[in-house]
Amino acid sequence: MSMHQSECMDQLLEEAQLPAHIEMQVRSILNTRNWDLDLSHANLRDAGALALAEALKHNASLHWLNLQSNGIEFRGVAALVAALHNNATLEHLLLGNDNHCRSNHPLNCIGPEGAKAIATLLKEGSTSTVYHIDLSYNSIRDEGATIIGNAMEQNPSFLRHLSLAGNDITHNGVEALARALMCSHSITRLSLGDNQLGDTGTTTLANALQTNKSVQVIDLSNNNVGYEGAQALTTVLRNTTTLTKLNLARNNLRDAGTRALGSALEKNQSVSELNLSSNSIGPAGACAIAKPLGSRSGLERLDLGNNNIEDKGATSIVAKFGRGTNVTELDLSNNNIGENGGAKVAQALAHSKITELDLSDNNIRDAGATAIAEATRSSESLLHLNLSGNAIGDKGGIAIADSLCRSTSTLTFVDISRNDIAEKGGLALLDSLAANNSMRVLKCVGNAFGSSSAFARRLALTHHKHPTLDVSFR
């Protein structure tokens, strides 16, 4: 770096008024050999982005740069893009925002103009090496999505990962992205969650995915996808051999849309992760999803949380476990599952490959918890068990404690928070840990036993014997 360039850098950093530790990280880019740099939530704003852009011009090693939630707008992103046209190493550029970002961190907002600047990195002839771009929650809207899509269409063998979640994109904006997908040979991950595609936009996207042979992961969560959108996706599911993860959480599939998807999944062997949580699915929809869960299915992770499948739906899902299903992670939380449903899940555990089971926020009570606890004794795979919020009392707590005492227990994580377990059950749980060599985390928050002196003494003794064990009860 020349003297003039160094003086320019000093001036930019002075104008940015960054905290000392952030300024040090920006300066380190000038001579660093690190492959990645995380400057997320650093309050850079445009002034800091200008200084960072100057540093990037002289960096020849950085591969991954995280600038999420920094208050960067068009001026800042334009400077970064100009610098990246002369950078031959950076591959991952994260300019999105955390949807759950704390209020004291400013959000990036590059808008359609910022999307236009980013698009120059994607066009044919660009010398940029960036192939992973995150622009989530940046208000690029339909105009920005169209610009990005048009650039991708010009250079179909470049971009691999793209996140445009939370950008107010409708069926109009997704048209250009769909055209790009039809000719793309490179893109493997596409996130369009938290937009406004609706059935029309989803159908447009589904039509493009029928010809695309590269997309492996797609997120369409919270897009008001209903039966028509689900029906459009069925052709994709029947014919794809590349799609492995599909997220349709927080839509409006209901039983009708879920039945359509279930029928298509009977012909599919590639999808390994399916998220259908928060879709107003009832027992009939759960039964439809259960049908393809045979030995030929590749499905390993299934999320049906926050629906209303009840005992009947839960029974139909777990009935497949004894028939060679490959499901290892199952989320049935908040589904109005009662004692009978809990017992049916328990019966299936011994014959399953389940490693993670979430039954939180149901109503399995002591009877269901006791059945589950008994089943864990013969399970050879279960590692994570969540039974929080199930009205479980001392009887259920003692049954779980008894199962943890067994030397054959494989459990490493148990969450029994927000139940009705009192001191007797709480002490039994702590005592069980003395004979257990597998447990790493026990969550007991929101029960009645955490405030007793006897429990406090027993907890101190447990921590003395197992200093690495995490027991949380407050």
Side-chain angles (χ1 to χ4, degrees):
M1 177 181 274
S2 68
M3 181 68 71
H4 173 72
Q5 290 168 334
S6 179
E7 290 175 353
C8 179
M9 184 70 174
D10 289 341
Q11 182 179 347
L12 288 170
L13 285 170
E14 184 177 349
E15 292 174 356
Q17 295 184 333
L18 300 174
H21 69 288
I22 300 296
E23 180 177 329
M24 185 179 300
Q25 285 184 285
V26 173
R27 286 187 182 278
S28 73
I29 298 175
L30 297 172
N31 51 24
T32 186
R33 293 187 178 181
N34 292 338
W35 279 41
D36 58 82
L37 178 63
D38 188 349
L39 286 173
S40 61
H41 308 97
N43 200 19
L44 292 177
R45 301 186 184 273
D46 279 351
L50 290 174
L52 180 60
E54 184 64 29
L56 284 172
K57 294 177 182 178
H58 310 284
N59 178 278
S61 65
L62 205 61
H63 284 227
W64 185 83
L65 178 59
N66 187 350
L67 298 176
Q68 292 175 329
S69 303
N70 265 295
I72 298 172
E73 299 183 359
F74 169 67
R75 182 165 166 256
V77 79
L80 289 167
V81 167
L84 290 175
H85 277 297
N86 299 311
N87 182 291
T89 62
L90 194 70
E91 297 173 342
H92 307 265
L93 178 60
L94 282 63
L95 280 165
N97 293 299
D98 182 353
N99 191 27
H100 307 290
C101 182
R102 291 166 289 180
S103 59
N104 58 330
H105 288 121
L107 301 181
N108 297 334
C109 188
I110 68 171
E113 288 300 310
K116 185 182 294 186
I118 292 290
T120 64
L121 298 174
L122 307 178
K123 291 181 178 178
E124 189 173 6
S126 170
T127 57
S128 168
T129 54
V130 177
Y131 65 76
H132 171 197
I133 295 178
D134 177 6
L135 301 179
S136 55
Y137 305 97
N138 259 286
S139 300
I140 71 169
R141 299 187 286 276
D142 283 345
E143 182 183 350
T146 300
I147 293 167
I148 295 289
N150 288 339
M152 290 169 60
E153 190 175 8
Q154 291 181 30
N155 192 6
S157 301
F158 182 63
L159 195 64
R160 299 184 206 172
H161 303 170
L162 177 64
S163 177
L164 298 180
N167 272 293
D168 297 319
I169 300 170
T170 71
H171 63 279
N172 294 316
V174 84
E175 289 181 0
L177 294 171
R179 289 196 302 272
L181 285 178
M182 292 178 72
C183 58
S184 173
H185 312 298
S186 60
I187 191 157
T188 60
R189 292 174 177 264
L190 178 62
S191 176
L192 290 170
D194 290 335
N195 281 297
Q196 303 169 34
L197 302 188
D199 284 339
T200 302
T202 303
T203 299
T204 300
L205 201 62
N207 290 337
L209 289 171
Q210 290 181 40
T211 59
N212 179 282
K213 303 299 180 185
S214 63
V215 173
Q216 299 171 12
V217 179
I218 188 160
D219 182 354
L220 297 176
S221 59
N222 195 25
N223 267 287
N224 197 27
V225 181
Y227 172 75
E228 292 181 8
Q231 189 65 42
L233 289 169
T234 59
T235 304
V236 179
L237 291 173
R238 287 193 179 98
N239 298 310
T240 183
T241 57
T242 55
L243 187 64
T244 60
K245 299 179 183 179
L246 177 60
N247 187 349
L248 289 170
R250 294 178 291 130
N251 280 297
N252 193 33
L253 297 178
R254 299 183 179 273
D255 285 343
T258 309
R259 276 195 292 264
L261 293 173
S263 176
L265 286 168
E266 292 186 54
K267 306 291 184 181
N268 180 284
Q269 295 183 19
S270 66
V271 175
S272 60
E273 295 186 22
L274 179 63
N275 190 339
L276 299 178
S277 60
S278 302
N279 267 286
S280 300
I281 300 170
C287 291
I289 286 296
K291 288 182 179 178
L293 298 182
S295 58
R296 294 182 68 252
S297 170
L299 204 60
E300 297 174 357
R301 300 180 65 181
L302 176 61
D303 189 344
L304 287 170
N306 198 33
N307 284 295
N308 192 33
I309 70 171
E310 302 178 338
D311 288 355
K312 182 179 179 181
T315 300
S316 65
I317 293 291
V318 300
K320 294 285 186 169
F321 287 179
R323 303 177 187 178
T325 180
N326 292 308
V327 175
T328 58
E329 298 180 27
L330 180 64
D331 188 340
L332 298 179
S333 60
N334 194 23
N335 264 290
N336 199 23
I337 298 170
E339 296 177 356
N340 291 335
K344 292 295 184 182
V345 172
Q347 289 175 15
L349 271 180
H351 309 290
S352 75
K353 300 177 183 178
I354 291 290
T355 60
E356 296 188 21
L357 175 63
D358 189 344
L359 283 172
S360 61
D361 297 306
N362 282 293
N363 195 33
I364 69 170
R365 298 182 174 273
D366 282 342
T370 300
I372 295 281
E374 183 67 30
T376 62
R377 299 179 184 180
S378 52
S379 172
E380 298 179 354
S381 59
L382 190 63
L383 301 174
H384 288 222
L385 176 63
N386 190 342
L387 298 180
S388 60
N390 267 287
I392 300 169
D394 272 346
K395 184 177 179 180
I398 292 170
I400 294 169
D402 187 48
S403 70
L404 292 177
C405 286
R406 307 287 172 145
S407 59
T408 55
S409 174
T410 56
L411 285 166
T412 62
F413 175 101
V414 174
D415 189 346
I416 51 169
S417 303
R418 296 181 291 108
N419 281 296
D420 300 321
I421 302 173
E423 183 173 305
K424 187 175 181 181
L427 292 175
L429 284 164
L430 282 185
D431 288 343
S432 72
L433 298 177
N436 184 292
N437 295 317
S438 64
M439 281 289 292
R440 296 293 178 267
V441 178
L442 175 64
K443 293 185 176 296
C444 314
V445 178
N447 285 284
F449 55 80
S451 58
S452 78
S453 58
F455 181 82
R457 289 193 298 271
R458 202 74 58 88
L459 179 61
L461 182 61
T462 300
H463 276 153
H464 179 72
K465 292 181 178 179
H466 301 282
T468 61
L469 184 65
D470 180 7
V471 180
S472 56
F473 60 94
R474 289 179 181 172

